[in-house]
Amino acid sequence: MKKKNERIFISYKRVDKERVDALRKDIEQATGEPCWIDRDGIESDAQSVEVIMKAIDQCEVFLFMRSKEHNNITNHSTDWTIREVNYALAKRKRIVFISLDNAPLSDWFEFMFPNQQEIDALDTTKLEHFYADLRSWLKVEETKEKSAPMTRITMAEETARMLEESKRKAEEVYQKGKELYDKKKYSRAYPLILEAAELNHIDALFYLGLMY
């Protein structure tokens, strides 16, 4: 039996893998359509660039799973997810941004995609409308599965849990770093405070500035 082409392409940051995979399952269940997603980081293989390009060429809908990690990109010309979305844009694909964590758009994204449609993955009502749009774009019948709403709720709850866990970890790492900082053990404090700052801990960002 010939494999069905993936008409939905998912672009995402590897650190968001768990949340994205939960949402992928939800999308496939809601549409009955398989999604193309790189689970193994094949972009590290030069030959596999062709695989990703072909997948984007064949897709009808390109989903850009955006999170706070995208605001930490330092070089937009080499970041793989940016290269994917730019290629999809050049190929005139239907592009939809999906916000995984309600992180604000960076200035770069505001400039490059000022009118881009974006779906809030934490809003189950908006997800419901989005899945209806997907079915319409792909011209597929609504799935009869009744467990899909529970999957969407689970995804939102899982995202909220992960955000809370990130806050807890940031506070824990910050406290260890601050204790070393107060003891003037700056070289040991720095990596801990930096880690907490990268998790958006406000006080850690302040002390990181002092250490610079």
Side-chain angles (χ1 to χ4, degrees), residues 7-12 23 27 59-66 70 85 88-89 92-100 105 109 113 115-121 126-127 129-131 133-134 137-138:
R7 297 195 288 165
I8 303 170
F9 184 100
I10 294 178
S11 176
Y12 72 106
L23 189 52
I27 291 169
C59 81
E60 295 179 32
V61 182
F62 181 98
L63 303 183
F64 189 81
M65 303 288 184
R66 192 181 64 81
H70 288 89
V85 72
L89 191 64
R92 299 183 181 278
K93 298 297 180 179
R94 185 189 296 274
I95 299 173
V96 180
F97 280 24
I98 297 182
S99 173
L100 297 174
L105 285 170
F109 277 101
F113 301 94
N115 301 310
Q116 181 60 51
Q117 177 186 8
E118 182 164 77
I119 308 300
D120 180 0
K126 290 181 179 178
L127 279 177
H129 290 306
F130 169 60
Y131 295 139
D133 286 341
L134 265 180
W137 298 334
L138 299 174

Side-chain angles (χ1 to χ4, degrees), residues 4-205:
K4 188 175 183 181
N5 285 339
E6 291 96 345
R7 297 195 288 165
I8 303 170
F9 184 100
I10 294 178
S11 176
Y12 72 106
K13 283 289 191 183
R14 203 72 53 207
V15 70
D16 297 318
K17 184 175 181 178
E18 290 185 14
R19 286 182 290 179
V20 169
D21 202 47
L23 189 52
R24 174 194 61 79
K25 293 176 183 177
D26 195 15
I27 291 169
E28 291 182 342
Q29 190 171 41
T31 64
E33 290 285 325
C35 296
W36 195 97
I37 182 170
D38 171 20
R39 295 192 183 87
D40 303 314
I42 65 173
E43 69 267 17
S44 61
D45 181 352
Q47 290 184 329
S48 297
V49 171
E50 298 293 332
V51 174
I52 292 179
M53 290 173 63
K54 182 178 179 181
I56 296 175
D57 286 338
Q58 293 181 341
C59 81
E60 295 179 32
V61 182
F62 181 98
L63 303 183
F64 189 81
M65 303 288 184
R66 192 181 64 81
S67 73
K68 61 182 175 61
E69 295 300 323
H70 288 89
N71 293 343
N72 297 327
I73 295 173
T74 57
N75 190 335
H76 291 87
S77 64
T78 59
D79 181 85
W80 201 261
T81 59
I82 300 302
R83 294 172 70 181
E84 289 174 343
V85 72
N86 282 339
Y87 185 74
L89 191 64
K91 292 295 182 175
R92 299 183 181 278
K93 298 297 180 179
R94 185 189 296 274
I95 299 173
V96 180
F97 280 24
I98 297 182
S99 173
L100 297 174
D101 53 13
N102 285 327
L105 285 170
S106 67
D107 290 342
W108 187 90
F109 277 101
E110 288 278 13
F111 182 80
M112 296 298 293
F113 301 94
N115 301 310
Q116 181 60 51
Q117 177 186 8
E118 182 164 77
I119 308 300
D120 180 0
L122 300 180
D123 188 321
T124 55
T125 299
K126 290 181 179 178
L127 279 177
E128 186 74 33
H129 290 306
F130 169 60
Y131 295 139
D133 286 341
L134 265 180
R135 290 190 292 268
S136 176
W137 298 334
L138 299 174
K139 296 180 174 58
V140 296
E141 296 291 332
E142 182 173 2
T143 178
K144 301 302 181 182
E145 289 288 344
K146 299 300 183 181
S147 58
M150 180 59 71
T151 306
R152 287 190 284 275
I153 292 172
T154 301
M155 191 273 170
E157 291 176 344
E158 176 64 12
T159 300
R161 183 194 68 76
M162 292 181 70
L163 287 173
E164 187 60 34
E165 175 64 19
S166 178
K167 290 179 182 179
R168 185 199 63 76
K169 181 180 178 181
E171 179 63 25
E172 180 179 308
V173 173
Y174 165 73
Q175 290 299 336
K176 291 179 180 178
K178 180 61 165 53
E179 182 178 346
L180 291 169
Y181 179 91
D182 291 340
K183 294 178 180 178
K184 298 185 174 9
K185 297 179 179 180
Y186 301 124
S187 61
R188 293 174 58 191
Y190 177 77
L192 293 171
I193 291 178
L194 176 61
E195 181 180 352
E198 289 176 343
L199 292 170
N200 294 322
H201 191 288
I202 298 299
D203 291 337
L205 288 167

